[in-house]
Amino acid sequence: MITLRDITLRRGLKVVLDGASATLQPGEKIGLVGRNGAGKSSLFALLTNRLSNDRGEVEVPRHWRRSEVAQNMPETDDGATDFVLEGDLPLMAARTALAAAEAANDGHAMADAHAALADAGAFDARSRAQALLMGLGFKTEQLDAPVNSFSGGWRMRLQLARALMCPAELMLLDEPTNHLDLDALVWLEAWLQRYDGMLIVISHDREFLDAITKVTLHLDEGKLTRYGGNYTSFESQRAERMVLQQAAFERQQEKVAHLQKFIDRFKAKASKAKQAQSRVKALERMERLAPVLASADFNFEFREPLNLPNPMLMFDELSAGYRTDDGDKIIVRGVDRSVLAGQRIGILGANGQGKSTLVKTIARAQAPLAGKLTEGKGLSIGYFAQQELDVLRLDEGPLAHLVRLAREVGPPGREQELRDFLGQFRFTGDMVNQQVGSLSGGEKARLVLAMLVWQRPNLLLLDEPTNHLDLNTREALSMALNEFEGTVMLVSHDRALLREVCDEFWLVADGVVKPFDGDLDDYQRWLLDQSKEAARAAKKQGSATPTPAPVAATVAAPAPPPASREDRKASGQARAKLAEQTRPLRREMDAIDKRLHQLAAERTDIETQLAEGAAAAAIAEMGRRLKAIGDEIEADELRWLELSEQIEALSATAS
């Protein structure tokens, strides 16, 4: 159990935590939320002893191993698998002990070291490490590639895999999805759902938090407030709490006004002096409630485009990729599609399949390698690059960026007009001249959004626009995109944004671009099917390369879904029949899931009461109930597994 009691933490002159308290139970999956700059990462540093609190007590069990994603970029020529293996601290300690024992020719020490290696799972450690890598999107040929051969985003994936490799009782993940595509994100969710230690995660991805967490810890104004439930539940509970808090404040203000009115009226009258004085003392003793001060919402909108060409784009056997010294490297070929005014297109596909390559080609950042790309008359493109540094200059301020944009691209504007416009994106006062290199990731992303809005585009190309945006800004972006009158083409791992904005999807896979006939849930099921097919193929070939489970959205070159209408119809009928057969089994599984959640919540409640010192007469009954809960959970889990096997058998028969 982790206990924080009356913690005060300062970073320079800023008080990050101010009398904060919280209790976290073993095995809980906790979402740590709060606005940017609230101090979430500082709390992580406190839990890992990188920072010391100024006041209060922090209690973390001494024997707990802690795992977190290192933020520094690794610089080593070690292979990717070996680098990830080094994250398994017990395994590394056992290997070191064995090497020392062999050097000293100490038989007893060697025996102990071999036992430690067995306990650490040394026999399958390499395959476990490679399963993590493949789950996070690495291809088979990359498993032993030197770490230094990977780009920055892939090195951060290596750091994430290394953190997951550690058998820790406490795992701290700070924005783990930032460098993942949708495929790897789905896999990570499944992995974290099976993790049995305490997980504390900072994320601005609503669906990720909802899928993973069962507790939400809100950091606001230096205080920590614990809520039972995921992020959606937290939002609802907090809204109710704020309403009640505001109502209590207003009632108290009425009482204060009434007392003050009595004091003002009668303090000069001798006959009422004692009563007036008692009212004064009552006011002094009253513990004043604070008004609800909700942080201001961030909103913006895209200005109406000057025109809407239709079609906006036409692809004629387009091939996109890169020119190298060894010739052209084609990533996608034969693109033969058109983009119409008002379309909302989500671009799906595994990392490395060519989503960003396609977007860069449309954005004129690189030329087509073959075929033709025809732009509609009056086309104006607003491009949000995946790496915002591609369009920002670190030594200039936001105002300088906008001045240059107004001068070179347009529309033109006076300096005061540009300052006022930046103020809408929270760049005020001296901040308009602050060097971009010193801005946070979220501030840089807001600046790129401001630059897009100023240009009044009619086609928005957005490549992972939410990587550094907090939840409020993501919601503002979603609202702005839904009100935008032009066309949107969106690459994102933020499923909430994709669901809210896009009404059709393109799939980039196997070197081609095709429409995907379905929604995001269909896409996730398709990824699972592709993973199972890859696993069966690997098993047939006797491949030693591990395949991640259960949701491995990492096939190097997945085949696209059936293209013909007849195939889709037959596939739909087969799915409908399978769904009918498995519906009662799934209903029973859902009921078991709900019961398991209830039992787990009851067990947590009892354990909390015991930890906080329950009455002696109740301890024995609590112990008996804990035993009964454990038996019920074990029986339900066995039944759940039986149902799962039945469904899998039916699915195999259908396929």
Side-chain angles (χ1 to χ4, degrees), residues 307-316 337-343 345 373-381 458-459 486-487 489 506:
N307 57 14
L308 289 173
N310 196 20
M312 289 200 166
L313 294 170
M314 288 183 291
F315 302 92
D316 184 9
R337 303 194 57 75
S338 59
V339 178
L340 305 178
Q343 280 188 293
I345 302 169
L373 174 58
T374 304
E375 298 181 354
K377 185 178 181 180
L379 180 70
S380 174
I381 295 175
N458 47 37
L459 171 61
T487 297
M489 300 184 74
W506 290 2

Side-chain angles (χ1 to χ4, degrees), residues 47-300:
L47 293 174
T48 53
N49 299 321
R50 297 197 306 275
L51 288 178
S52 298
N53 47 303
D54 298 283
R55 192 184 70 187
E57 297 179 8
V58 180
E59 294 182 4
V60 181
R62 290 186 178 181
H63 66 280
W64 275 19
R65 290 181 292 261
R66 301 170 177 86
S67 175
E68 66 174 333
V69 180
Q71 295 304 308
N72 62 299
M73 290 291 181
E75 294 289 346
T76 176
D77 289 324
D78 291 346
T81 301
D82 290 333
F83 178 78
V84 172
L85 275 172
E86 290 174 4
D88 191 333
L89 300 181
L91 176 64
M92 292 300 103
R95 286 183 174 180
T96 300
L98 179 60
E102 289 175 342
N105 198 26
D106 186 334
H108 287 294
M110 281 189 274
D112 291 341
H114 279 292
L117 284 169
D119 291 340
F123 71 96
D124 67 344
R126 190 170 186 83
S127 64
R128 285 187 285 116
Q130 292 183 339
L132 291 174
L133 287 170
M134 294 184 71
L136 292 173
F138 290 83
K139 300 175 184 177
T140 305
E141 60 270 21
Q142 295 176 309
L143 296 178
D144 293 308
V147 170
N148 284 341
S149 67
F150 294 101
S151 65
W154 285 97
R155 291 193 206 183
M156 291 312 297
R157 292 196 193 202
L158 286 170
Q159 294 284 35
L160 175 57
R162 185 169 169 140
L164 299 181
M165 190 68 192
C166 181
E169 288 77 18
L170 171 62
M171 182 175 292
L172 304 171
L173 298 181
D174 191 346
E175 294 290 358
T177 67
N178 267 1
H179 299 281
L180 303 183
D181 55 16
L182 184 55
D183 307 50
L185 190 154
V186 171
W187 176 87
L188 179 62
E189 274 184 8
W191 194 96
L192 291 175
Q193 286 166 350
R194 301 193 306 274
Y195 173 67
D196 57 7
M198 179 189 290
L199 170 68
I200 307 178
V201 58
I202 299 170
S203 177
H204 293 132
D205 186 324
R206 174 191 296 271
E207 291 205 19
F208 180 74
L209 288 172
D210 278 350
I212 300 300
T213 63
K214 305 299 181 187
V215 175
T216 300
L217 198 61
H218 184 218
L219 177 54
D220 185 48
E221 301 297 331
K223 305 294 184 184
L224 288 169
T225 306
R226 177 188 168 107
Y227 294 83
N230 59 19
Y231 184 81
T232 298
S233 175
F234 151 73
E235 278 192 320
S236 175
Q237 293 179 58
R238 182 167 182 255
E240 292 175 4
R241 177 176 291 194
M242 291 174 72
V243 169
L244 293 173
Q245 182 182 339
Q246 184 64 23
F249 171 75
E250 290 172 358
R251 286 195 302 271
Q252 187 183 71
Q253 290 302 104
E254 291 175 2
K255 185 175 181 180
V256 168
H258 178 75
L259 290 172
Q260 190 64 51
K261 184 177 180 180
F262 185 94
I263 294 167
D264 294 341
R265 184 178 178 185
F266 296 113
K267 64 182 177 181
K269 291 189 177 182
S271 61
K272 295 288 187 179
K274 287 186 178 180
Q275 292 94 322
Q277 191 60 35
S278 69
R279 301 305 196 276
V280 171
K281 291 181 179 179
L283 274 178
E284 292 173 348
R285 289 194 302 270
M286 187 180 294
E287 183 178 346
R288 298 298 177 93
L289 300 175
V292 175
L293 299 175
S295 54
D297 289 334
F298 170 63
N299 293 297
F300 72 98

